[in-house]
Every structure is written in structure tokens, then in C-alpha cells.
Amino acid sequence: MWVHFESIQITMQPTYMSMYFPAQGLILAAGKILLGHPWFGLLCVTALMCAALCWMLQAWIPPSWALLGGVLAVLRIGLFSYWIDTYSGGGSVAALGGALVLGALPRFIRTARLRYSLLMALGLIVLALSRPFEGLLLCFPVGFVLMRWIFAGKHRPTAAFVFRRAALPLALIVAALAWLGYYDYRAFGNPLTLPYSVDRAQYAAAPYWIWQSPRPEPVYRHKALHDFYVDVELSYAKRLQHRLRLPF
């Protein structure tokens, strides 16, 4: 008995994914879809960032000084910085998230209103989708202040009150992290594999930290990749190490 197997040809189509976290790409995509050009998305988020910085400062300093800080943010960052002039970095969206967290923190402690806990959660979500490592450093002091207020504050709330105010914000944060895990899974096959780590492992020659030795230079198939990762990144890291007189 003969069994005939037909040959099956499988064609794989490569896809290109950004090494950066998805917030900046979502902003640019929204600008492209809604307003016809990606830069308009960047313009809108930068304007929101400047407004959020002013709002954040109003929670810590007098209104006149907060307004001055907002104006300075518009003049220095909103008009004359690479945050508004380039698509790389995602500085505006990350700063927006940080301003929401730091602006909502003192307001929530003073009033314990749900809207401020939601704004804080929104800021944490924006940080998680844009600059999670820097955002994590911000979360440590913010979490410490909240825990101190909850457990040792002069007017500390009851456990039931904290649950009512924290349930919905925590649910939103968990949902956002779950979506980020799904994004990583669809892009890299593992929900815990970050795009940044994949890029650095495959292409980077510069060290992660300035005190580390340069990594072995990989084989680049395109000159543009070599120019960026070696001529730009690695050269800049070596110049910094030379200025710091590190033995590399």
C-alpha cells in the first residue's frame, strides 16, 4: 500500500515591530488616522503634557508659580525640543503620565476623591506603556507616601474606604498590563519578553550601563543598523566612559 503525501509549501511573511513600548506608536497612529498626519498626534500629546505639568505644579506650589512653570514647559519643551520635532523617544507621553501621577497624589490625599485615584491610575498606565523602567522608579516614592498615609496618616482612611477608592483604578491598571502582555505575546511569542530586551540582545553593541564593558559587535545585514548601533550608540558610550575615566 502506497501513501502519497502532497508537498505543502509554507510562506512566512516577516513583520517589523518597534523596539519601543507601544504608547508613542499609538499616539502617532491616532494622529495619522484622526487628523491625517502622525505629527498631529505628537502635537496633541505635547500640549496635554504642558497642561498637565501646570496642573501638577498647582498641587505643590502657588498658582502663579505653577502658571510660570507651565509657560516655561511650553516655551522650552513644547516649541524647542526634540520631543516635538521628532518621532523618537516618547518623551511627551511619558512626561504626561508622570505629571498625572504627581498631580493626583497630593489631591487624593487631601480629598480622597475617586477622580484623583483614577487620574493617578491613568498616569501609571501611560508610564507603563511608554517608559516603564523610569515609571517604576517614580512608583516607589509615590507608593511609600500612599502607604504612609493609609497606615500612619493623621486622617488615615478605613480599609473599606480604601477598597472603594482603589478597586476601579487597580482594575484599570491590571487590564492595561494584561494588554501589554498580549501585545508582547503577539509580537514576540512571550508575554514577558519586552521588545527592548529583544532589540538589545540582537543588535546592540553598547553596554546596558555606563560602567559595563562594550558587548561583542554583532553581524549587521544593513549599513543603517551598523551606523546607528556602532557609529552612534557605541561611540557615544565610549566617549562617556572616557570622560568618566572608566577602564574600558
Side-chain angles (χ1 to χ4, degrees), residues 104 107-108 111-121 161-170 172:
R107 290 179 170 91
F108 179 70
T111 65
R113 293 182 178 178
L114 179 62
R115 64 185 182 190
Y116 294 129
S117 62
L118 290 174
L119 286 173
M120 192 183 307
F161 181 85
V162 172
F163 177 79
R164 289 196 302 270
R165 290 295 184 266
L168 182 56
L170 287 177
L172 293 176

PDB file of all heavy atoms in Angstrom, residues 104 107-108 111-121 161-170 172:
ATOM      1  N   ALA A 104      -1.975  64.098  40.889  1.00  0.00           N
ATOM      2  CA  ALA A 104      -3.105  63.464  41.558  1.00  0.00           C
ATOM      3  C   ALA A 104      -2.769  63.043  42.985  1.00  0.00           C
ATOM      4  O   ALA A 104      -3.674  62.970  43.831  1.00  0.00           O
ATOM      5  CB  ALA A 104      -3.569  62.252  40.755  1.00  0.00           C
ATOM      6  N   ARG A 107      -3.567  65.708  45.769  1.00  0.00           N
ATOM      7  CA  ARG A 107      -5.003  65.980  45.727  1.00  0.00           C
ATOM      8  C   ARG A 107      -5.795  64.806  46.294  1.00  0.00           C
ATOM      9  O   ARG A 107      -6.801  64.995  46.989  1.00  0.00           O
ATOM     10  CB  ARG A 107      -5.431  66.275  44.285  1.00  0.00           C
ATOM     11  CG  ARG A 107      -4.929  67.602  43.733  1.00  0.00           C
ATOM     12  CD  ARG A 107      -5.397  67.791  42.295  1.00  0.00           C
ATOM     13  NE  ARG A 107      -5.147  69.126  41.796  1.00  0.00           N
ATOM     14  CZ  ARG A 107      -4.025  69.501  41.150  1.00  0.00           C
ATOM     15  NH1 ARG A 107      -3.061  68.597  40.948  1.00  0.00           N
ATOM     16  NH2 ARG A 107      -3.870  70.729  40.725  1.00  0.00           N
ATOM     17  N   PHE A 108      -5.372  63.583  45.971  1.00  0.00           N
ATOM     18  CA  PHE A 108      -6.074  62.419  46.501  1.00  0.00           C
ATOM     19  C   PHE A 108      -5.913  62.312  48.012  1.00  0.00           C
ATOM     20  O   PHE A 108      -6.858  61.972  48.724  1.00  0.00           O
ATOM     21  CB  PHE A 108      -5.548  61.153  45.825  1.00  0.00           C
ATOM     22  CG  PHE A 108      -6.188  59.897  46.314  1.00  0.00           C
ATOM     23  CD1 PHE A 108      -7.507  59.611  46.005  1.00  0.00           C
ATOM     24  CD2 PHE A 108      -5.487  59.000  47.103  1.00  0.00           C
ATOM     25  CE1 PHE A 108      -8.116  58.451  46.470  1.00  0.00           C
ATOM     26  CE2 PHE A 108      -6.086  57.847  47.575  1.00  0.00           C
ATOM     27  CZ  PHE A 108      -7.401  57.570  47.255  1.00  0.00           C
ATOM     28  N   THR A 111      -8.260  65.061  49.547  1.00  0.00           N
ATOM     29  CA  THR A 111      -9.703  64.955  49.348  1.00  0.00           C
ATOM     30  C   THR A 111     -10.213  63.521  49.254  1.00  0.00           C
ATOM     31  O   THR A 111     -11.404  63.288  49.478  1.00  0.00           O
ATOM     32  CB  THR A 111     -10.116  65.694  48.066  1.00  0.00           C
ATOM     33  OG1 THR A 111      -9.526  65.034  46.928  1.00  0.00           O
ATOM     34  CG2 THR A 111      -9.641  67.139  48.105  1.00  0.00           C
ATOM     35  N   ALA A 112      -9.331  62.578  48.892  1.00  0.00           N
ATOM     36  CA  ALA A 112      -9.700  61.160  48.739  1.00  0.00           C
ATOM     37  C   ALA A 112     -10.837  60.966  47.741  1.00  0.00           C
ATOM     38  O   ALA A 112     -11.688  60.083  47.914  1.00  0.00           O
ATOM     39  CB  ALA A 112     -10.065  60.555  50.084  1.00  0.00           C
ATOM     40  N   ARG A 113     -10.846  61.764  46.681  1.00  0.00           N
ATOM     41  CA  ARG A 113     -11.885  61.621  45.669  1.00  0.00           C
ATOM     42  C   ARG A 113     -11.482  60.576  44.638  1.00  0.00           C
ATOM     43  O   ARG A 113     -10.319  60.412  44.308  1.00  0.00           O
ATOM     44  CB  ARG A 113     -12.138  62.964  44.981  1.00  0.00           C
ATOM     45  CG  ARG A 113     -12.761  64.003  45.904  1.00  0.00           C
ATOM     46  CD  ARG A 113     -13.043  65.297  45.158  1.00  0.00           C
ATOM     47  NE  ARG A 113     -13.682  66.273  46.033  1.00  0.00           N
ATOM     48  CZ  ARG A 113     -14.001  67.506  45.649  1.00  0.00           C
ATOM     49  NH1 ARG A 113     -13.731  67.913  44.404  1.00  0.00           N
ATOM     50  NH2 ARG A 113     -14.578  68.334  46.499  1.00  0.00           N
ATOM     51  N   LEU A 114     -12.497  59.897  44.112  1.00  0.00           N
ATOM     52  CA  LEU A 114     -12.247  58.828  43.164  1.00  0.00           C
ATOM     53  C   LEU A 114     -11.581  59.341  41.889  1.00  0.00           C
ATOM     54  O   LEU A 114     -10.742  58.655  41.299  1.00  0.00           O
ATOM     55  CB  LEU A 114     -13.564  58.118  42.822  1.00  0.00           C
ATOM     56  CG  LEU A 114     -13.476  56.980  41.805  1.00  0.00           C
ATOM     57  CD1 LEU A 114     -12.582  55.861  42.320  1.00  0.00           C
ATOM     58  CD2 LEU A 114     -14.879  56.447  41.487  1.00  0.00           C
ATOM     59  N   ARG A 115     -11.935  60.531  41.453  1.00  0.00           N
ATOM     60  CA  ARG A 115     -11.386  61.040  40.205  1.00  0.00           C
ATOM     61  C   ARG A 115      -9.874  61.183  40.264  1.00  0.00           C
ATOM     62  O   ARG A 115      -9.178  60.991  39.254  1.00  0.00           O
ATOM     63  CB  ARG A 115     -12.032  62.367  39.829  1.00  0.00           C
ATOM     64  CG  ARG A 115     -11.772  63.510  40.799  1.00  0.00           C
ATOM     65  CD  ARG A 115     -12.561  64.728  40.388  1.00  0.00           C
ATOM     66  NE  ARG A 115     -12.308  65.857  41.266  1.00  0.00           N
ATOM     67  CZ  ARG A 115     -13.023  66.979  41.225  1.00  0.00           C
ATOM     68  NH1 ARG A 115     -14.029  67.091  40.379  1.00  0.00           N
ATOM     69  NH2 ARG A 115     -12.740  67.986  42.042  1.00  0.00           N
ATOM     70  N   TYR A 116      -9.350  61.504  41.422  1.00  0.00           N
ATOM     71  CA  TYR A 116      -7.901  61.652  41.540  1.00  0.00           C
ATOM     72  C   TYR A 116      -7.211  60.293  41.562  1.00  0.00           C
ATOM     73  O   TYR A 116      -6.099  60.152  41.029  1.00  0.00           O
ATOM     74  CB  TYR A 116      -7.550  62.461  42.780  1.00  0.00           C
ATOM     75  CG  TYR A 116      -8.025  63.888  42.703  1.00  0.00           C
ATOM     76  CD1 TYR A 116      -8.762  64.460  43.736  1.00  0.00           C
ATOM     77  CD2 TYR A 116      -7.769  64.667  41.580  1.00  0.00           C
ATOM     78  CE1 TYR A 116      -9.214  65.766  43.657  1.00  0.00           C
ATOM     79  CE2 TYR A 116      -8.220  65.978  41.487  1.00  0.00           C
ATOM     80  CZ  TYR A 116      -8.946  66.519  42.536  1.00  0.00           C
ATOM     81  OH  TYR A 116      -9.396  67.813  42.436  1.00  0.00           O
ATOM     82  N   SER A 117      -7.836  59.299  42.167  1.00  0.00           N
ATOM     83  CA  SER A 117      -7.251  57.963  42.097  1.00  0.00           C
ATOM     84  C   SER A 117      -7.296  57.423  40.672  1.00  0.00           C
ATOM     85  O   SER A 117      -6.372  56.729  40.226  1.00  0.00           O
ATOM     86  CB  SER A 117      -7.980  57.016  43.052  1.00  0.00           C
ATOM     87  OG  SER A 117      -9.342  56.871  42.702  1.00  0.00           O
ATOM     88  N   LEU A 118      -8.348  57.774  39.923  1.00  0.00           N
ATOM     89  CA  LEU A 118      -8.419  57.365  38.521  1.00  0.00           C
ATOM     90  C   LEU A 118      -7.363  58.074  37.682  1.00  0.00           C
ATOM     91  O   LEU A 118      -6.745  57.468  36.790  1.00  0.00           O
ATOM     92  CB  LEU A 118      -9.814  57.641  37.966  1.00  0.00           C
ATOM     93  CG  LEU A 118     -10.936  56.746  38.494  1.00  0.00           C
ATOM     94  CD1 LEU A 118     -12.283  57.233  37.979  1.00  0.00           C
ATOM     95  CD2 LEU A 118     -10.709  55.297  38.084  1.00  0.00           C
ATOM     96  N   LEU A 119      -7.146  59.354  37.939  1.00  0.00           N
ATOM     97  CA  LEU A 119      -6.100  60.078  37.216  1.00  0.00           C
ATOM     98  C   LEU A 119      -4.726  59.527  37.543  1.00  0.00           C
ATOM     99  O   LEU A 119      -3.845  59.434  36.667  1.00  0.00           O
ATOM    100  CB  LEU A 119      -6.173  61.568  37.553  1.00  0.00           C
ATOM    101  CG  LEU A 119      -7.317  62.344  36.914  1.00  0.00           C
ATOM    102  CD1 LEU A 119      -7.373  63.769  37.469  1.00  0.00           C
ATOM    103  CD2 LEU A 119      -7.162  62.385  35.395  1.00  0.00           C
ATOM    104  N   MET A 120      -4.508  59.149  38.799  1.00  0.00           N
ATOM    105  CA  MET A 120      -3.233  58.544  39.161  1.00  0.00           C
ATOM    106  C   MET A 120      -3.049  57.214  38.443  1.00  0.00           C
ATOM    107  O   MET A 120      -1.963  56.909  37.935  1.00  0.00           O
ATOM    108  CB  MET A 120      -3.156  58.346  40.676  1.00  0.00           C
ATOM    109  CG  MET A 120      -1.760  58.003  41.178  1.00  0.00           C
ATOM    110  SD  MET A 120      -1.710  57.698  42.965  1.00  0.00           S
ATOM    111  CE  MET A 120      -2.487  59.206  43.585  1.00  0.00           C
ATOM    112  N   ALA A 121      -4.107  56.415  38.385  1.00  0.00           N
ATOM    113  CA  ALA A 121      -4.036  55.146  37.665  1.00  0.00           C
ATOM    114  C   ALA A 121      -3.783  55.375  36.181  1.00  0.00           C
ATOM    115  O   ALA A 121      -2.987  54.654  35.557  1.00  0.00           O
ATOM    116  CB  ALA A 121      -5.325  54.358  37.862  1.00  0.00           C
ATOM    117  N   PHE A 161     -12.988  52.105  52.922  1.00  0.00           N
ATOM    118  CA  PHE A 161     -12.897  53.309  52.097  1.00  0.00           C
ATOM    119  C   PHE A 161     -11.773  53.175  51.072  1.00  0.00           C
ATOM    120  O   PHE A 161     -11.939  53.552  49.902  1.00  0.00           O
ATOM    121  CB  PHE A 161     -12.659  54.519  52.994  1.00  0.00           C
ATOM    122  CG  PHE A 161     -12.580  55.821  52.251  1.00  0.00           C
ATOM    123  CD1 PHE A 161     -13.728  56.510  51.932  1.00  0.00           C
ATOM    124  CD2 PHE A 161     -11.356  56.338  51.863  1.00  0.00           C
ATOM    125  CE1 PHE A 161     -13.666  57.704  51.237  1.00  0.00           C
ATOM    126  CE2 PHE A 161     -11.277  57.527  51.172  1.00  0.00           C
ATOM    127  CZ  PHE A 161     -12.440  58.216  50.858  1.00  0.00           C
ATOM    128  N   VAL A 162     -10.633  52.662  51.504  1.00  0.00           N
ATOM    129  CA  VAL A 162      -9.506  52.470  50.581  1.00  0.00           C
ATOM    130  C   VAL A 162      -9.883  51.506  49.473  1.00  0.00           C
ATOM    131  O   VAL A 162      -9.562  51.718  48.301  1.00  0.00           O
ATOM    132  CB  VAL A 162      -8.277  51.965  51.356  1.00  0.00           C
ATOM    133  CG1 VAL A 162      -7.158  51.568  50.394  1.00  0.00           C
ATOM    134  CG2 VAL A 162      -7.777  53.033  52.315  1.00  0.00           C
ATOM    135  N   PHE A 163     -10.596  50.444  49.809  1.00  0.00           N
ATOM    136  CA  PHE A 163     -11.015  49.473  48.794  1.00  0.00           C
ATOM    137  C   PHE A 163     -11.933  50.108  47.766  1.00  0.00           C
ATOM    138  O   PHE A 163     -11.798  49.869  46.569  1.00  0.00           O
ATOM    139  CB  PHE A 163     -11.709  48.288  49.465  1.00  0.00           C
ATOM    140  CG  PHE A 163     -12.228  47.280  48.486  1.00  0.00           C
ATOM    141  CD1 PHE A 163     -11.369  46.364  47.892  1.00  0.00           C
ATOM    142  CD2 PHE A 163     -13.579  47.254  48.145  1.00  0.00           C
ATOM    143  CE1 PHE A 163     -11.850  45.435  46.978  1.00  0.00           C
ATOM    144  CE2 PHE A 163     -14.061  46.330  47.234  1.00  0.00           C
ATOM    145  CZ  PHE A 163     -13.190  45.418  46.642  1.00  0.00           C
ATOM    146  N   ARG A 164     -12.888  50.919  48.224  1.00  0.00           N
ATOM    147  CA  ARG A 164     -13.807  51.565  47.281  1.00  0.00           C
ATOM    148  C   ARG A 164     -13.083  52.505  46.342  1.00  0.00           C
ATOM    149  O   ARG A 164     -13.430  52.611  45.163  1.00  0.00           O
ATOM    150  CB  ARG A 164     -14.894  52.324  48.058  1.00  0.00           C
ATOM    151  CG  ARG A 164     -15.903  51.433  48.777  1.00  0.00           C
ATOM    152  CD  ARG A 164     -17.132  52.235  49.168  1.00  0.00           C
ATOM    153  NE  ARG A 164     -16.791  53.365  50.030  1.00  0.00           N
ATOM    154  CZ  ARG A 164     -16.748  53.319  51.357  1.00  0.00           C
ATOM    155  NH1 ARG A 164     -17.019  52.178  51.978  1.00  0.00           N
ATOM    156  NH2 ARG A 164     -16.449  54.383  52.068  1.00  0.00           N
ATOM    157  N   ARG A 165     -12.081  53.197  46.844  1.00  0.00           N
ATOM    158  CA  ARG A 165     -11.354  54.153  46.020  1.00  0.00           C
ATOM    159  C   ARG A 165     -10.299  53.484  45.135  1.00  0.00           C
ATOM    160  O   ARG A 165      -9.890  54.055  44.119  1.00  0.00           O
ATOM    161  CB  ARG A 165     -10.685  55.204  46.905  1.00  0.00           C
ATOM    162  CG  ARG A 165     -11.651  56.167  47.585  1.00  0.00           C
ATOM    163  CD  ARG A 165     -12.363  57.020  46.549  1.00  0.00           C
ATOM    164  NE  ARG A 165     -13.223  58.019  47.157  1.00  0.00           N
ATOM    165  CZ  ARG A 165     -14.511  57.861  47.381  1.00  0.00           C
ATOM    166  NH1 ARG A 165     -15.094  56.719  47.068  1.00  0.00           N
ATOM    167  NH2 ARG A 165     -15.231  58.823  47.931  1.00  0.00           N
ATOM    168  N   ALA A 166      -9.842  52.299  45.528  1.00  0.00           N
ATOM    169  CA  ALA A 166      -8.734  51.673  44.807  1.00  0.00           C
ATOM    170  C   ALA A 166      -9.179  50.562  43.862  1.00  0.00           C
ATOM    171  O   ALA A 166      -8.409  50.175  42.971  1.00  0.00           O
ATOM    172  CB  ALA A 166      -7.719  51.114  45.794  1.00  0.00           C
ATOM    173  N   ALA A 167     -10.398  50.040  44.017  1.00  0.00           N
ATOM    174  CA  ALA A 167     -10.817  48.874  43.234  1.00  0.00           C
ATOM    175  C   ALA A 167     -10.812  49.165  41.738  1.00  0.00           C
ATOM    176  O   ALA A 167     -10.199  48.430  40.946  1.00  0.00           O
ATOM    177  CB  ALA A 167     -12.204  48.414  43.691  1.00  0.00           C
ATOM    178  N   LEU A 168     -11.496  50.220  41.319  1.00  0.00           N
ATOM    179  CA  LEU A 168     -11.575  50.538  39.897  1.00  0.00           C
ATOM    180  C   LEU A 168     -10.220  50.945  39.320  1.00  0.00           C
ATOM    181  O   LEU A 168      -9.838  50.456  38.247  1.00  0.00           O
ATOM    182  CB  LEU A 168     -12.617  51.633  39.666  1.00  0.00           C
ATOM    183  CG  LEU A 168     -12.839  52.048  38.206  1.00  0.00           C
ATOM    184  CD1 LEU A 168     -13.218  50.848  37.360  1.00  0.00           C
ATOM    185  CD2 LEU A 168     -13.906  53.137  38.114  1.00  0.00           C
ATOM    186  N   PRO A 169      -9.430  51.840  39.965  1.00  0.00           N
ATOM    187  CA  PRO A 169      -8.099  52.146  39.428  1.00  0.00           C
ATOM    188  C   PRO A 169      -7.205  50.921  39.297  1.00  0.00           C
ATOM    189  O   PRO A 169      -6.503  50.766  38.291  1.00  0.00           O
ATOM    190  CB  PRO A 169      -7.542  53.154  40.440  1.00  0.00           C
ATOM    191  CG  PRO A 169      -8.738  53.790  41.037  1.00  0.00           C
ATOM    192  CD  PRO A 169      -9.774  52.709  41.105  1.00  0.00           C
ATOM    193  N   LEU A 170      -7.225  50.031  40.293  1.00  0.00           N
ATOM    194  CA  LEU A 170      -6.403  48.826  40.210  1.00  0.00           C
ATOM    195  C   LEU A 170      -6.868  47.919  39.073  1.00  0.00           C
ATOM    196  O   LEU A 170      -6.044  47.298  38.393  1.00  0.00           O
ATOM    197  CB  LEU A 170      -6.440  48.075  41.536  1.00  0.00           C
ATOM    198  CG  LEU A 170      -5.653  48.708  42.686  1.00  0.00           C
ATOM    199  CD1 LEU A 170      -5.848  47.902  43.960  1.00  0.00           C
ATOM    200  CD2 LEU A 170      -4.176  48.827  42.348  1.00  0.00           C
ATOM    201  N   LEU A 172      -8.198  48.910  36.267  1.00  0.00           N
ATOM    202  CA  LEU A 172      -7.714  49.516  35.026  1.00  0.00           C
ATOM    203  C   LEU A 172      -6.225  49.234  34.821  1.00  0.00           C
ATOM    204  O   LEU A 172      -5.777  48.951  33.697  1.00  0.00           O
ATOM    205  CB  LEU A 172      -7.963  51.024  35.054  1.00  0.00           C
ATOM    206  CG  LEU A 172      -9.427  51.471  35.027  1.00  0.00           C
ATOM    207  CD1 LEU A 172      -9.520  52.991  35.153  1.00  0.00           C
ATOM    208  CD2 LEU A 172     -10.098  51.005  33.746  1.00  0.00           C
TER     209      LEU A 172
END
